[in-house]
Amino acid sequence: MDNSDCPPQLDASRRAVLREALLAAYSEAGEVCDPERGYNDLLHGLIVYHLTGFRLQRGFEDDPGVNYEFSVAGPELFIDGLRLRWNKVGRSASEQIAASFPRPSLAGALMAEANQQLGLWADEFDATEPVNWILAHIGNPRDGLIRAYLAAPLRSDGRAITGDRKSVV
């Protein structure tokens, strides 16, 4: 995979901020989460989630095209017309990106459905490019961040994302 499918709003400098935020979150969570002290994968995932949000908010604070918001569905970034959320989609190196999707989430399913709807009006305006994206990552407390990618959710069963377009971060 390459990043040729990546929207222009997520240029190399912004993808670098995304990468650095995830790497820092996994590093910090790894320092705190010792399985010998009772920290499991679930707690590690929660810490990574919150630290990623914190790092993204700080990393983009001087970028006028990026706005960090916290809604009922959780934190998200708005980047020059794109909506970006972040989710852990796996725990081990054996999990393949092509088959990894966020856990069932109404927010994710609604993002996929909104991206599908844009295609219905593609003749009226340039709506063929998805506007909802997920910074998806695979990792655990022992190995840290294994891989990360940008995913535009495109299919849903009404409860979870079942298909997306992926691009390397």
Side-chain angles (χ1 to χ4, degrees):
M1 273 190 308
D2 62 22
N3 57 21
S4 61
D5 273 350
C6 201
Q9 297 95 321
L10 298 174
D11 61 18
S13 65
R14 286 178 170 165
R15 287 193 312 274
V17 173
L18 298 176
R19 256 191 317 277
E20 291 304 315
L22 266 180
L23 287 169
Y26 269 89
S27 176
E28 291 175 49
E31 293 170 9
V32 173
C33 292
D34 179 0
E36 297 299 317
R37 293 178 35 216
Y39 289 93
N40 60 19
D41 282 350
L42 176 63
L43 186 54
H44 178 265
L46 288 171
I47 293 170
V48 166
Y49 177 78
H50 289 285
L51 287 174
T52 299
F54 176 77
R55 292 290 176 193
L56 289 172
Q57 184 178 19
R58 293 291 165 94
F60 286 115
E61 66 188 355
D62 294 328
D63 186 329
V66 179
N67 187 33
Y68 177 92
E69 292 184 17
F70 196 92
S71 70
V72 174
E76 48 197 22
L77 290 174
F78 291 90
I79 304 172
D80 288 335
L82 299 180
R83 176 181 176 205
L84 180 77
R85 296 179 56 82
W86 42 98
N87 288 100
K88 186 173 182 178
V89 296
R91 295 184 179 129
S92 74
S94 65
E95 294 178 82
Q96 298 302 310
I97 288 176
S100 298
F101 304 106
R103 62 175 167 50
S105 152
L106 182 57
L110 292 174
M111 288 174 76
E113 291 171 11
N115 280 341
Q116 288 173 353
Q117 288 291 322
L118 289 174
L120 297 176
W121 297 293
D123 292 337
E124 294 179 31
F125 59 96
D126 186 17
T128 58
E129 288 301 310
V131 296
N132 294 300
W133 290 80
I134 295 174
L135 175 59
H137 50 96
I138 296 173
N140 62 59
R142 290 159 299 289
D143 303 317
L145 178 64
I146 296 169
R147 65 180 66 92
Y149 55 93
L150 290 163
L154 300 175
R155 290 187 303 280
S156 160
D157 65 5
R159 293 172 292 143
I161 296 168
T162 59
D164 54 20
R165 183 173 95 190
K166 296 175 172 67
S167 180
V168 173
V169 175

